[in-house]
Amino acid sequence: MIYADNAATTKLDKDAYEAMLPFLLNEYANASQPYSFSRKTKAALKKARQMIADCINALPEEIYFTSGGTESDNWAIKGLAFADKEKRAMITSAFEHHAVLNSCAAIEYLGYPVAYMWPTKAGLIKADILEKYITNTTRLVSVMFANNEIGTVQPIKELSTMAHSYGALFHTDAVQAVGHIPIDVQDLGVDMLSASAHKFNGPKGVGFLYIRNGTSICSYLNGGSQEFTMRAGTENVAGIVGMAVALQKNCENIKNNIAHLYNLERIIVERLNKCGIDYIRNGIENGLPGLLSLSFKGCSGEQLLHRLDLQGIEISTGSACNSVKTEISHVLTAIGLEDNYAKGTIRISFGKDNKCSDAEKIINELIHVIHAL
Ligand code: PLP
């Protein structure tokens, strides 16, 4: 099998796996207990928090462990909305992940006004777009770091600067970016940042929310006093330890990983450009390394996915078919891609473990399948 759907999830890193093992078997103490058996789990949480903070230039007390990207996004949006009932207006983009879009829909239902910015055709939310929506009554601006379907990386520093100049806070869903491109929360000036371990070779069901010290936010999961009394629930110690090791490892190798991923992309794009197939590469400007969103005119993305699957190649589509019609994804709709290209969209997302021979095999099979169809 060739796995090229790393934007959906990644393989657990072996070092992360090994670091987790003691906490699954012998070191199973509840970190909140005062007895000596809990010392190791408590120390492991402390170390993991510091390791993660170092990777994004945060303070350890600004890292809150969660169950993943979905929870972090829900917390950032709902927690902020409920913290200030006077200043209620929120702004996000129309091509966010549903963890953000549906959280916004939930607060809209409770009467909070939410505005949705439309990206450019290139898949970017530039500061001049935000300027058209933002006012002094805006409480929060939430724009994703990198889009999960087309890979465009947004100008986060410019957006957070603009949000602050209007007295608003800034959140970014960085689930696709953390561990893949360098992130410095101080330099970017973000107030909150969501991340998910399984997107950077950590385990599933664990993530974190960075919350800048002093940010006024309500807790989202109520219960015990874990996570500085802000996020209740017994900590997933093994998952948190695995997340920290995976992130540290990815960050240490980030330059080499990026160069390798761009090389894999180049293999695909060079062959495609030579073979005369009519296609568009979405989000080409400022893209996430290793992610290719390709739209083939007159093709069906579903058919391409299944034909490649038969050849042992795992990729994803940009649309979902049901028996009645093909639903174009909200991201492709937001960038205004024509239907006859949008329906034929696939996403290839390479990871650090993919080899050049994987890219060559994928492009050979893809060209073959498109000609055959
Ligand atoms: N945000 C983005 C941009 C994502 O790509 C994903 C997962 O696909 C999520 C949020 C949700 O993360 P999780 O799977 O950890 O809940």
Side-chain angles (χ1 to χ4, degrees):
M1 179 187 78
I2 294 176
Y3 182 76
D5 196 19
N6 288 274
T9 197
T10 55
K11 185 177 175 181
L12 181 61
D13 182 89
K14 197 150 183 291
D15 292 339
Y17 166 73
E18 277 164 12
M20 291 170 73
L21 288 179
F23 299 98
L24 291 169
L25 280 173
N26 301 327
E27 301 298 341
Y28 55 86
N30 185 323
S32 300
Q33 291 298 72
Y35 41 66
S36 48
F37 183 36
S38 295
R39 269 193 215 133
K40 279 200 180 149
T41 46
K42 230 177 263 170
L45 288 181
K46 190 171 176 205
K47 186 173 169 201
R49 209 183 298 279
Q50 181 72 60
M51 283 163 72
I52 289 172
D54 289 347
C55 289
I56 60 167
N57 196 21
L59 296 169
E61 63 270 23
E62 295 174 319
I63 304 296
Y64 295 83
F65 299 129
T66 66
S67 63
T70 299
E71 185 191 324
S72 298
D73 287 342
N74 271 264
W75 185 6
I77 288 157
K78 296 174 187 172
L80 215 75
F82 301 154
D84 187 343
K85 298 245 167 62
E86 299 302 313
K87 207 176 178 191
R88 296 158 72 96
M90 308 274 175
I91 301 175
T92 189
S93 82
F95 74 162
E96 297 290 313
H97 188 273
H98 282 106
V100 167
L101 289 178
N102 289 343
S103 296
C104 287
I107 60 166
E108 259 189 305
Y109 181 73
L110 296 175
Y112 290 78
V114 182
Y116 297 87
M117 298 182 283
W118 286 76
T120 63
K121 261 186 141 3
L124 293 170
I125 300 282
K126 296 193 173 160
D128 59 339
I129 300 182
L130 176 58
E131 201 165 16
K132 293 193 185 115
Y133 289 79
I134 197 162
T135 69
N136 289 330
T137 65
T138 306
R139 166 106 173 109
L140 175 72
V141 177
S142 178
V143 177
M144 68 199 317
F145 210 118
N147 185 275
N148 48 303
E149 284 190 37
I150 58 171
T152 42
V153 177
Q154 307 304 318
I156 296 298
K157 190 171 176 172
E158 290 166 35
L159 294 170
S160 76
T161 306
M162 169 139 323
H164 292 155
S165 71
Y166 281 81
L169 292 168
F170 189 83
H171 164 250
T172 184
D173 171 348
V175 164
Q176 292 290 339
V178 171
H180 300 286
I181 49 179
I183 291 182
D184 178 332
V185 289
Q186 301 306 325
D187 180 52
L188 294 167
V190 298
D191 301 296
M192 291 177 292
L193 175 145
S194 304
S196 176
H198 75 101
K199 306 286 187 181
F200 52 78
N201 305 95
K204 292 172 179 58
V206 61
F208 66 89
L209 179 64
Y210 158 80
I211 307 176
R212 179 183 295 283
N213 267 345
T215 306
S216 164
I217 184 168
C218 289
S219 47
Y220 174 60
L221 285 190
N222 304 116
S225 59
Q226 293 89 352
E227 297 302 291
F228 317 111
T229 72
M230 287 299 285
R231 194 274 185 186
T234 303
E235 300 87 348
N236 170 6
V237 181
I240 290 166
V241 167
M243 167 164 72
V245 171
L247 182 58
Q248 188 182 55
K249 201 166 161 189
N250 273 17
C251 289
E252 277 167 6
N253 296 315
I254 211 155
K255 273 194 182 156
N256 289 342
N257 288 347
I258 290 175
H260 174 59
L261 292 170
Y262 279 140
N263 197 31
L264 299 181
E265 274 184 23
R266 197 183 42 76
I267 293 172
I268 302 278
V269 172
E270 279 183 6
R271 280 288 306 286
L272 267 182
N273 289 346
K274 275 189 199 145
C275 72
I277 289 174
D278 189 346
Y279 84 103
I280 292 174
R281 179 167 179 195
N282 306 302
I284 195 162
E285 213 180 297
N286 207 20
L288 204 57
L291 193 151
L292 296 116
S293 168
L294 305 170
S295 298
F296 298 99
K297 192 176 183 185
C299 286
S300 150
E302 293 287 317
Q303 267 188 345
L304 294 176
L305 178 149
H306 291 301
R307 293 285 183 107
L308 290 174
D309 187 20
L310 288 174
Q311 303 303 319
I313 293 169
E314 309 303 342
I315 52 114
S316 155
T317 61
S319 54
C321 256
N322 62 36
S323 51
V324 185
K325 61 175 183 151
T326 301
E327 300 265 2
I328 310 285
S329 84
H330 69 290
V331 174
L332 300 180
T333 304
I335 61 168
L337 187 65
E338 279 174 40
D339 269 20
N340 57 349
Y341 281 97
K343 284 179 185 155
T345 303
I346 59 166
R347 179 188 69 187
I348 301 171
S349 50
F350 289 115
K352 63 180 183 178
D353 294 330
N354 283 116
K355 301 183 184 68
C356 292
S357 57
D358 294 345
E360 277 151 17
K361 173 109 199 280
I362 291 173
I363 190 60
N364 284 342
E365 290 298 340
L366 185 59
I367 291 173
H368 177 76
V369 167
I370 290 172
H371 284 316
L373 286 172

